[in-house]
Amino acid sequence: METNSVSSLILFFCIFLVMGSQLISGSVTYDNKAVIINGQRRILLSGSIHYPRSTPDMWEDLILKAKNAGLDVIDTYVFWNVHEPSPGNYNFEGRYDLVRFVKTVQKLGLYVHLRIGPYVCAEWNFGGFPVWLKYVPGISFRTDNEPFKAAMQQFTQKIVGVMKSENLFESQGGPIILSQIENEYGAQRRALGPAGEAYMNWAAKMAVALDTGVPWVMCKDDEAPDPVINACNGFYCDSFSPNKPYKPTMWTEAWSGWFTEFGGPILQRPVQDLAFAVARFIQKGGSFINYYMFHGGTNFGRTAGGPFVTTSYDYDAPVDEYGLIREPKYGHLKELHKAIKLCEHALVSSDPTVTSLGSSQEAHVFSSGDGSCAAFLANFNSTSAARVLFNNKHYNLPPWSISILPDCKNVVFNTAKVGTQTSQFQMLPSDSQLHSWETYGEDMTSLDDSTTFAAIGLLEQINVTRDSSDYLWYITSIDIGSSESFLRGGQKPTLTVNSRGHALHVFINGQLAGSAYGTRENTRFTFTGPVSLQVGTNKISLLSIAMGLPNNGVHFENWNVGVLGRVELAGLDQGKRDLSRQTWSYKVGLKGEQMNLVSPDKVSSVEWAQVSAITQNQQPLRWYKAYFDAPSGDEPLALDMRSMGKGQVWINGQNIGRYWMAYSNGNCGVCHYAGTFRATKCQRSCGQPTQRWYHVPRSWLQPTQNLIVLFEELGGDASKISLVKRTTAGVCANAFEHRPSVANYQIQSTSASKMLHQAKIHLSCSPGQSISAITFASFGTPTGTCGSFRLGNCHAQNSHSVVEKMCVGMESCKLAVSNSYFGADPCPRVLKKLSVEAICSTKMS
Ligand SMILES: *[C@@H]1O[C@H](CO)[C@@H](O)[C@H](O)[C@H]1NC(C)=O
Ligand SMILES: *[C@@H]1O[C@H](CO)[C@@H](O)[C@H](O)[C@H]1NC(C)=O
């Protein structure tokens, strides 16, 4: 025993000496246990907030919400394509003001993990690469290729240089404690072989040579070379170990939900499972966890990747797309974080001792030399609760859960027992009317103007547009002789168009003949349909639409978009006619885009018409405009686009994003938290439009005369678009009384656990709201969940009136779950709980 601890002491000093040189050059280092900041090993809790996915006006509030949830670090990618729109021309303005974002984090006292990439994936257009990069001669992305490496190095240097010049690295007194180079490179490296290996080594060396004074991370690449730390991304990471024994165990993306694609359902992740995954990682010895996303936000403009990633990037994150707290996700994680922090000293000072407590139950105990002890009791069984014996005491563990005991005795948190309130959001009509609707037809006769060019055959779309617009016209004509038999009552000819993506509208002589779409998984699709042709020249105009460029896959930069053939007409007297190799005219973008009709300065440059007569036949390819005053209050705002088809919408010249009322095709069954989670496990909104509401940041509005302009591809009733406010509709809370003596409910009171487990419920509406009514209250044995509570056999008759008296009219209220509140015990010797459902309404001023 004696010699063991002496030799481990010697070992510790050796490691310390090795690390010593790093300690001098920078104040952030690491060892096998943790990231070390100013000499202290830390358990670091982090959350992803991507600066371009919200507005600078929102940043401070979002970061503060992260801080209040107990986070230490804000993680963001750096988005190359927005910062360098053309080679050598940089943009760090507005939503792209990275320095301001990092300084806001610093001001609030948090750290930053700066994931430079510059490949970022992120469901962001082209994975964050500028599209011009694809057209650098001889380039090949993310491999041992000189033009690519030169461009990547130049941008990485640029970002590091900007951060250094503002003293933003921790080694300079700033908040940045970690940086990432590349992103999830493992799969690509394996696919590319030696070239991938060489590139990975080059990238690591290049990054380290930038001498930031803080460690570099490579996520999802288990061969990340020293001193770069390899890290895990996933729904669970407890089976992950770093590739060297002297690196800390880091989880750079703990997925809080999943992204959404047009036509798909909303994908959610129950907080009990997320908390379980986090606790599993910590009990295994993990010391850094980043929620991806903590706030997902919005893919404004054409920033969504894809194809078909929605404008909303809500991600079922603890803070929702609009910046509102999502409960119980936020509150339950906050409690988890408090519990983990109570264990911090023991966690960073020792390795866990794991003992089996049953067939799928384990204790992970961290006990350091100085007497501190923390234990995690885990039940991996997804169907059965377990009663386990640990240190001579019994503990009850719900299925698929972990209890945290910061003193190895008292449970302060269990991942499956959610004590925080549940909130439900609603979209309420605002007091602002969109008025003076006018419309303008995207003029198809203008397709013959000087910006059109001709070529033989079909061209790849992005090569032509360079992604300056989603839209590319492919136009050709076909002559029909008067002798064709279909003209005399025969079957109409059939047009077939093969496309590589992503969406297509087919016009014959200016009339919409039909549309077709690919999917995210398979962008190829075929349009086939009968077409009305007349004697003489017929014009075939194909509007091909890119719906966000791909953001991952091996060499995704080479994936084609657009009508690439064949294009074929069948049912003529000659049989089939192949149109693929004839002359096609091309026009990039829409006429309205060219004229910048969406900007308040340019909107009057065309003749707009009153909407009424036109909307009755809901024509395709139309622009609409209207005006509105900013709604009162400060609730987040959204456009309800339900009456429309597909297109883009701008407010005061700012692109709100792509909209599409594609209906969710999914499987929205019952979702239970227990059991291994997959992205498609918990689906919502089946049979509804995938995305009906589109976030309008308040800061983009002026008090009056705001201009909304939209381009509608298919047809819709613009006069029915409305501006709504997002608020909390109601809140629910549900908690058991505090009775340690009752079996099956085990909580002891110490100073630590008191903080976490007072048997209280806390109801809280959004700022500016108050509780206007109690729709359910029962102290006893109520059943059900928020929205479907029911009385049980035991019920205190005065439950409703007591809760009403305490809560109605208040912005928030706290209630103890105890007999003393409700008078006589309605059912002695029975474990009781209090369930409450309340309605939130805007406060009358
Ligand atoms: C879970 O518990 C049930 C009941 O005790 C048992 O039948 C089942 O085998 C357990 N499952 C696992 C994976 O241990
Ligand atoms: C892109 O367009 C140019 C002409 O503008 C052509 O030379 C080149 O082959 C095209 N590349 C691809 C990949 O289509």
Side-chain angles (χ1 to χ4, degrees), residues 359-360 381 383-384:
S359 62
S360 28
N381 191 311
T383 53
S384 290

Side-chain angles (χ1 to χ4, degrees), residues 116-278:
I116 298 175
Y119 167 64
V120 298
C121 192
E123 291 73 61
W124 190 262
N125 196 51
F126 221 35
F129 287 126
V131 171
W132 56 258
L133 190 66
K134 176 177 171 178
Y135 300 98
V136 169
I139 206 157
S140 184
F141 285 12
R142 303 179 73 204
T143 187
D144 192 17
N145 167 275
E146 294 308 322
F148 179 79
K149 290 192 296 184
M152 170 166 164
Q153 178 163 8
Q154 197 166 32
F155 180 72
T156 308
Q157 267 169 348
K158 171 76 185 179
I159 294 300
V160 167
V162 169
M163 295 299 119
K164 274 189 181 174
S165 69
E166 300 281 345
N167 294 318
L168 292 175
F169 287 101
E170 165 72 12
S171 50
Q172 303 172 290
I176 304 172
I177 54 165
L178 296 165
S179 296
Q180 180 179 301
I181 193 73
E182 249 296 337
N183 186 56
E184 301 194 340
Y185 192 66
Q188 173 109 350
R189 174 175 49 72
R190 287 187 291 274
L192 299 182
E197 188 97 11
Y199 163 74
M200 174 195 66
N201 286 317
W202 167 84
K205 206 175 255 175
M206 183 272 286
V208 170
L210 295 175
D211 200 19
T212 59
V214 305
W216 288 90
V217 175
M218 276 184 170
C219 63
K220 251 179 133 170
D221 186 349
D222 23 292
E223 291 195 4
D226 288 359
V228 176
I229 307 165
N230 65 312
C232 182
N233 294 347
F235 287 118
Y236 306 94
C237 276
D238 48 303
S239 56
F240 168 83
S241 294
N243 60 15
K244 293 286 169 51
Y246 41 81
K247 292 180 185 177
T249 304
M250 296 178 64
W251 188 0
T252 36
E253 293 187 10
W255 297 330
S256 57
W258 202 244
F259 63 88
T260 310
E261 50 187 277
F262 282 115
I266 308 290
L267 303 174
Q268 299 183 327
R269 185 177 191 190
V271 69
Q272 297 95 321
D273 179 63
L274 179 57
F276 180 59
V278 168

Side-chain angles (χ1 to χ4, degrees), residues 413-620:
F413 182 83
N414 176 278
T415 56
K417 289 182 181 170
V418 178
T420 34
Q421 70 172 9
T422 297
S423 60
Q424 286 167 338
F425 297 120
Q426 66 189 347
M427 294 302 200
L428 282 182
S430 76
D431 51 4
S432 170
Q433 293 292 317
L434 278 58
H435 61 83
S436 315
W437 279 107
E438 290 186 309
T439 182
Y440 169 74
E442 171 70 19
D443 190 356
M444 300 219 326
T445 59
S446 73
L447 295 179
D448 301 320
D449 70 14
S450 60
T451 59
T452 309
F453 69 92
I456 308 271
L458 297 161
L459 302 180
E460 200 278 330
Q461 179 158 342
I462 307 305
N463 194 21
V464 177
T465 64
R466 300 293 159 109
D467 203 33
S468 62
S469 167
D470 281 1
Y471 301 102
L472 178 65
W473 283 104
Y474 292 72
I475 306 149
T476 195
S477 58
I478 176 164
D479 287 325
I480 296 296
S482 56
S483 62
E484 286 286 350
S485 35
F486 78 83
L487 294 167
R488 293 181 298 279
Q491 245 186 8
K492 282 183 182 177
T494 301
L495 181 70
T496 300
V497 181
N498 285 295
S499 173
R500 298 293 183 90
H502 304 140
L504 180 72
H505 304 311
V506 176
F507 295 85
I508 306 294
N509 298 321
Q511 297 296 312
L512 181 61
S515 302
Y517 309 93
T519 63
R520 188 180 150 77
E521 289 68 34
N522 185 8
T523 61
R524 286 172 191 249
F525 63 90
T526 302
F527 167 88
T528 308
V531 288
S532 299
L533 301 174
Q534 62 211 24
V535 177
T537 302
N538 293 268
K539 191 154 151 185
I540 298 176
S541 310
L542 309 176
L543 184 59
S544 179
I545 305 153
M547 292 283 290
L549 301 187
N551 52 267
N552 77 354
V554 174
H555 284 307
F556 65 80
E557 78 272 21
N558 295 332
W559 299 354
N560 289 331
V561 182
V563 178
L564 286 170
R566 288 162 57 123
V567 179
E568 195 173 76
L569 196 60
L572 301 178
D573 289 344
Q574 68 174 104
K576 282 182 184 170
R577 192 183 305 177
D578 183 2
L579 309 182
S580 314
R581 295 185 200 290
Q582 62 183 48
T583 300
W584 289 80
S585 297
Y586 293 87
K587 183 181 168 62
V588 175
L590 306 168
K591 190 179 173 197
E593 285 181 303
Q594 226 168 61
M595 292 187 298
N596 202 12
L597 270 194
V598 303
S599 106
D601 304 339
K602 298 285 164 54
V603 69
S604 311
S605 54
V606 297
E607 289 277 321
W608 294 80
Q610 288 290 312
V611 143
S612 46
I614 304 291
T615 43
Q616 267 144 33
N617 50 9
Q618 306 202 344
Q619 294 170 350

